[in-house]
Amino acid sequence: MRMYDLIAKKRDGYSLTKEEINFVIAGFTSGEIPDYQMSAFLMAVYLRGMTDEETAQMTLAMAHSGDMVDLSGIDGIKVDKHSTGGVGDKTTLVIAPIVASCGVKVAKMSGRGLGHTGGTVDKMESVPGCRTSLPREEFFEQVNRVGISVIGQSGNLAPADKKMYALRDVTATVGCVPLIASSIMSKKLAAGSDCILLDVKTGNGAFMKTLDGSIELAKAMTAIGEHNGRRVAALITDMDTPLGYAVGNSLEVSESMEVLKGRGPEDLKEVCLQLAANMLYLAQKGDLQQCRSMAEEAIRSGKAFEVCKQMFAAQGGDTSVLDDCSKFHKAAYSKQVFAPQDGYVLSTDTEKIGIASVLLGAGRQTKDDIIDFAAGLILHKKVGDHVKAGEPLATLYAEDETRFAQAEKMFLSAYCFSDVPVNKPALVLARVTKEGVERFE
Ligand code: URA
């Protein structure tokens, strides 16, 4: 078999066999197939697409390119969750403890921030002392004892995806359903949970900008998971505006703790309750309504917050900052951004808000950048809110005052105003399972 012939076959719109796909993935992972040939192959897939069989086969080949985690040493049903990435998306910190406090094990590997989007591992590391890399035995022991552990992805989980993603990032081949679906699901299959809930973000701050595109991606990922014996559901959730009000690592942990303490912003709380209910449903804890009531009770009783603290404590984190979030280290400087005019907030370019937060130091601009955990922003006005000229739209936080000028400019360019009232966006737009698609608009 020659890589040249397989590139040409895909370029001309033909489907590849299982053996051909295995050849491409194994050859690229081992280094026998060079980046320039793989780049051409990825572009051919981007332009020509893949059949469901090809996507499923490529996902399996990518999952098996490294360790397949065996979670059988952990008792009971294990449930995982994946978000396709957003701004202010701190749901894992809320829903994983809710689900674990309802008796369903969460043995989860999460990612770091990518581009303008944040990552759970970075947020967790903003809690002083918290370790996000644990030896496997300790990870298993913690999940059996506390019911939950969230750690960073191990180096050898789906290495084919790691190499492919790095190439896609620089060859304009990220936004393609078979490539995104195989990238995400290869890691989820390798991570070993029985059930997987997918939070597919849609809108201007997400990888998938349209609802139809997000549903297509959710269907592809659900089919791959179910085909491989996992129970899978996907919620399509809004990313036309950040979730909650806080963007930035310790700021987001504080907001998540507010929700676990029964307070917090309504939009964040509602999305978390729906995601948690669906995770409990996948773990066969009841029908969706019963599962939602369980999730609400886990917050009301304080059980979910207790489990969250136990998880951080087990991973070495200082839980006093979770009890009293004012104890988090604070940024040296803050600056308010004021509305330039009266009106209703018509839209916010969520990607620009994410970039503003990265410019303040909350994310990485190069892969070696060190994150400033206290940096970020708190929104005061979101889509649908009325604002008067000169009222604050947000407060920015940074360790270094010189960061404000560029971040403020980027932030202000994200806002559009209207003279007439604007509806708040819907939070959950659709649910996708193997039974089909329910649209909620
Ligand atoms: N997240 C991933 O892990 N892979 C993609 O391709 C896109 C988002």
Side-chain angles (χ1 to χ4, degrees):
M1 230 180 272
R2 291 195 319 152
M3 184 62 177
Y4 179 96
D5 300 326
L6 303 183
I7 297 169
K9 190 171 176 186
K10 186 42 79 185
R11 178 201 64 198
D12 296 339
Y14 296 102
S15 299
L16 302 186
T17 64
K18 177 176 166 187
E19 289 70 31
E20 288 168 338
I21 288 174
N22 289 345
F23 173 85
V24 173
I25 300 301
F28 180 59
T29 310
S30 69
E32 279 154 60
I33 293 174
D35 283 1
Y36 56 83
Q37 282 192 314
M38 193 61 177
S39 303
F41 177 77
L42 290 168
M43 186 55 83
V45 171
Y46 186 93
L47 296 172
R48 290 298 196 167
M50 277 187 150
T51 63
D52 290 350
E53 292 73 41
E54 285 177 290
T55 309
Q57 192 50 50
M58 189 158 83
T59 309
L60 266 188
M62 289 163 70
H64 285 276
S65 66
D67 296 342
M68 293 294 287
V69 181
D70 175 6
L71 294 181
S72 59
I74 298 171
D75 314 322
I77 294 183
K78 276 77 68 181
V79 57
D80 198 352
K81 168 250 166 198
H82 182 86
S83 159
T84 55
V87 178
D89 178 12
K90 67 264 306 168
T91 59
T92 294
L93 295 170
V94 180
I95 63 184
I98 292 179
V99 169
S101 74
C102 294
V104 176
K105 300 275 169 47
V106 182
K108 181 160 170 47
M109 292 182 199
S110 282
R112 295 192 180 274
L114 187 66
H116 68 283
T117 66
T120 303
V121 168
D122 295 329
K123 293 174 222 233
M124 289 183 70
E125 288 178 357
S126 74
V127 173
C130 179
R131 293 175 301 145
T132 56
S133 171
L134 301 183
R136 185 157 301 181
E137 308 70 55
E138 190 179 341
F139 177 59
F140 278 31
E141 186 278 326
Q142 181 180 322
V143 180
N144 271 325
R145 182 169 49 85
V146 183
I148 178 172
S149 180
V150 179
I151 58 172
Q153 222 163 271
S154 95
N156 205 32
L157 199 83
D161 173 62
K162 198 166 180 202
K163 284 187 80 180
M164 285 166 73
Y165 197 91
L167 264 194
R168 287 167 58 211
D169 210 15
V170 292
T171 55
T173 50
V174 171
C176 163
V177 167
L179 295 178
I180 299 179
S182 55
S183 163
I184 292 174
M185 292 308 288
S186 62
K187 288 174 286 207
K188 292 289 115 181
L189 294 181
S193 284
D194 310 295
C195 311
I196 303 161
L197 179 72
L198 301 164
D199 179 5
V200 179
K201 301 286 178 198
T202 194
N204 61 36
F207 284 113
M208 302 306 284
K209 309 285 181 205
T210 66
L211 179 56
D212 286 345
S214 303
I215 289 177
E216 194 196 338
L217 175 63
K219 280 163 75 177
M221 293 196 290
T222 305
I224 293 168
E226 292 280 350
H227 186 77
N228 284 285
R230 315 295 168 95
R231 287 168 58 83
V232 187
L235 291 187
I236 315 291
T237 66
D238 177 65
M239 200 29 75
D240 262 340
T241 193
L243 190 55
Y245 289 86
V247 183
N249 298 287
S250 64
L251 297 171
E252 292 191 40
V253 174
S254 302
E255 191 170 67
S256 310
M257 294 308 114
E258 282 297 293
V259 176
L260 285 176
K261 291 171 189 170
R263 305 185 291 255
E266 275 309 309
D267 61 343
L268 175 61
K269 185 167 150 192
E270 178 58 27
V271 170
C272 286
L273 284 171
Q274 292 206 34
L275 290 168
N278 273 276
M279 286 172 82
L280 293 167
Y281 175 79
L282 286 174
Q284 295 172 319
K285 294 297 264 187
D287 64 28
L288 263 183
Q289 193 46 51
Q290 290 165 330
C291 289
R292 174 157 180 139
S293 304
M294 285 174 76
E296 286 171 354
E297 182 52 27
I299 293 181
R300 202 170 19 245
S301 64
K303 257 171 56 189
F305 180 55
E306 272 315 307
V307 168
C308 181
K309 285 202 295 180
Q310 286 167 15
M311 171 184 76
F312 274 101
Q315 295 181 210
D318 171 5
T319 57
S320 71
V321 298
L322 306 178
D323 281 320
D324 177 0
C325 294
S326 69
K327 290 189 175 164
F328 266 118
H329 169 76
K330 288 194 190 44
Y333 298 95
S334 66
K335 182 177 198 307
Q336 290 197 316
V337 182
F338 299 105
Q341 64 179 88
D342 287 359
Y344 296 88
V345 180
L346 174 65
S347 63
T348 50
D349 183 327
T350 309
E351 184 167 343
K352 285 186 175 166
I353 296 177
I355 295 171
S357 146
V358 172
L359 290 171
L360 291 166
R364 298 175 189 83
Q365 299 190 62
T366 68
K367 83 180 184 350
D368 301 321
D369 275 357
I370 304 218
I371 285 192
D372 172 1
F373 291 127
L377 53 95
I378 300 281
L379 302 171
H380 303 307
K381 298 288 176 186
K382 298 203 350 179
V383 172
D385 289 340
H386 185 261
V387 60
K388 286 197 159 58
E391 257 191 287
L393 290 176
T395 306
L396 314 183
Y397 296 92
E399 206 54 41
D400 168 0
E401 264 185 307
T402 62
R403 288 182 179 265
F404 285 137
Q406 218 191 341
E408 178 174 10
K409 201 162 155 221
M410 177 63 68
F411 182 84
L412 272 175
S413 72
Y415 273 69
C416 287
F417 300 92
S418 154
D419 292 335
V420 290
V422 173
N423 288 333
K424 292 251 173 212
L427 298 171
V428 180
L429 295 104
R431 177 167 180 263
V432 178
T433 60
K434 69 174 190 298
E435 276 84 39
V437 179
E438 288 167 85
R439 287 179 182 249
F440 302 131
E441 323 120 274

